[in-house]
Amino acid sequence: MAKGTRFATILDGLEVVMGLGIHPEELAAPQRVILNVRLEVDYPVPPAEDRIEAVLDYDFIRTGIRELVAGRHFNLQETLCEAVAALCLRDERVCEVTVRSSKPDIYPDAAVGCEIVRARG
């Protein structure tokens, strides 16, 4: 691609309440999970118009993640991150995605999380 056609689209700090985990207390009730997503997006040319139709819409990511986590319980953060990455890669303009999940309430002194990077191809 020509120089200047790749942009990063970032969804940072999306808080969802969802089923995630393998421990009895995690299976018994939903918990807070924080998701951060960074998409490397290629465009044929830099967007010339100041219109949302010219770029990847953040709503696609946010809404898709909310629908994904509402529909099931995930045992592992790794599985959750893979599912979010697959969702993001559905848009053919996305060439790479970084997904980070965090469970902030497991320990009183630390959050636990997972991060993956997936690329098209």
Side-chain angles (χ1 to χ4, degrees):
M1 294 249 160
K3 184 177 179 182
T5 59
R6 182 169 289 183
F7 291 82
T9 299
I10 301 166
L11 180 67
D12 198 30
L14 177 64
E15 184 175 315
V16 294
V17 177
M18 61 175 291
L20 177 62
I22 60 168
H23 300 292
E25 62 275 10
E26 294 175 312
L27 295 169
Q31 65 178 299
R32 264 185 343 129
V33 177
I34 309 298
L35 292 161
N36 298 290
V37 183
R38 178 185 175 97
L39 300 97
E40 297 293 329
V41 186
D42 279 334
Y43 298 102
V45 296
E49 297 182 29
D50 194 19
R51 298 169 34 118
I52 191 63
E53 296 82 14
V55 296
L56 185 130
D57 189 346
Y58 303 107
D59 286 344
F60 156 72
I61 308 160
R62 183 178 173 273
T63 302
I65 290 171
R66 289 197 176 282
E67 290 172 356
L68 181 70
V69 303
R72 67 176 277 199
H73 178 96
F74 287 85
N75 288 329
L76 304 173
Q77 290 192 71
E78 291 83 355
T79 309
L80 170 62
C81 288
E82 288 288 358
V84 172
L87 167 74
C88 294
L89 288 168
R90 287 184 197 163
D91 188 306
E92 293 185 8
R93 298 170 295 182
V94 177
C95 58
E96 184 176 290
V97 59
T98 302
V99 180
R100 177 184 294 173
S101 65
S102 176
K103 298 193 295 188
D105 303 321
I106 296 299
Y107 300 119
D109 56 352
V112 294
C114 176
E115 180 176 282
I116 65 167
V117 177
R118 296 293 177 261
R120 183 168 303 287

